Amino acid sequence: MNWHPDCRMRLRPGHGQSSAFSILELIIVVGLVGVVAAIGISQANRSLQRSKVNEIALELAGWFESLKTNTTVDVSCQATFRGTPGQTTAFSSGTILYTIESNRQANTEALADKAPSCTNYIQSFRLGLSAISGTFLIDSPQSFQFTRRGTLIAADAKDIRIFFQIAPNSFLLRCLRPSLLLGSFRIGSNSAAADTNATCDEASFRAF
């Protein structure tokens, strides 16, 4: 039987070929999406860690400024470090980092009950409850005392170093450098510290 030419079926170009993704292509796409997502999450987490470490350094500098403000002619305020000076001490979120003492001048001893106290206005400094979970390693001079002239007396005029470990050999580091004459602190940073012997970059220090 002869078919009329007009009755013959003609296949469209590509007819019978699938235009869908193959399993291999889907696996590759899913893998790439996973890699991009992992990088994004890692960067976001690192940014959060930096912001929290910065927050702690700023809060501590502000706390010291409050001690300076509350020092009077009769009473000077002293902050005492709760760790071991000269070596890094581990602190977790919410723990007390510095306690406060009021040093009264000799002429106010008889009026001790009426003389103001630093602890009437300021609480001991704690690592903020909002701090990221983990351990902070902190090295600090044993004490800082603000005088009535607004200057600062330090047991050792070294930087306060605040470390947060983000990997086995990688730390975020923030430093508070005391200015004894001005009674203030400058803040420095090092976001690539390899160990707890590291210091902050000199060019990074800024006035609080």
Side-chain angles (χ1 to χ4, degrees):
M1 178 182 295
N2 294 325
W3 291 93
H4 191 278
D6 293 337
C7 295
R8 293 174 183 160
M9 295 181 62
R10 293 180 182 152
L11 294 176
R12 295 190 303 270
H15 184 73
Q17 298 179 354
S18 174
S19 61
F21 287 112
S22 67
I23 294 178
L24 178 59
E25 289 171 328
L26 286 174
I27 291 174
I28 292 173
V29 170
V30 171
L32 290 174
V33 170
V35 169
V36 172
I39 293 174
I41 292 173
S42 176
Q43 291 296 327
N45 187 50
R46 184 68 176 269
S47 178
L48 175 61
Q49 291 170 339
R50 281 197 299 267
S51 68
K52 289 302 181 182
V53 174
N54 290 339
E55 178 183 321
I56 289 172
L58 289 169
E59 286 181 353
L60 181 55
W63 184 79
F64 279 122
E65 185 65 24
S66 296
L67 285 183
K68 177 182 176 180
T69 302
N70 282 278
T71 293
T72 67
V73 173
D74 298 322
V75 179
S76 62
C77 299
Q78 177 174 311
T80 302
F81 182 51
R82 291 291 299 273
T84 303
Q87 67 184 52
T88 54
T89 304
F91 290 88
S92 298
S93 177
T95 57
I96 295 177
L97 189 59
Y98 290 92
T99 55
I100 307 172
E101 298 175 16
S102 294
N103 294 318
R104 303 180 188 280
Q105 302 300 318
N107 62 339
T108 63
E109 290 296 337
L111 301 175
D113 292 337
K114 297 181 180 179
S117 170
C118 302
T119 55
N120 287 348
Y121 310 102
I122 308 172
Q123 300 297 316
S124 298
F125 183 83
R126 295 175 181 268
L127 284 180
L129 295 177
S130 62
I132 47 181
S133 59
T135 300
F136 290 84
L137 300 172
I138 300 174
D139 177 27
S140 169
Q142 184 176 16
S143 64
F144 295 96
Q145 180 178 334
F146 292 90
T147 71
R148 60 184 181 178
R149 297 181 180 86
T151 59
L152 183 62
I153 299 174
D156 187 352
K158 297 193 308 182
D159 294 351
I160 300 172
R161 298 182 301 152
I162 304 171
F163 293 89
F164 183 78
Q165 189 167 8
I166 55 177
N169 294 306
S170 182
F171 297 82
L172 294 175
L173 169 61
R174 298 296 180 266
C175 303
L176 272 68
R177 176 164 295 176
S179 173
L180 302 186
L181 184 61
L182 299 176
S184 60
F185 288 84
R186 292 189 299 149
I187 300 176
S189 65
N190 181 348
S191 295
D195 55 46
T196 55
N197 293 318
T199 58
C200 290
D201 301 326
E202 289 296 326
S204 70
F205 280 92
R206 299 289 184 271
F208 168 69

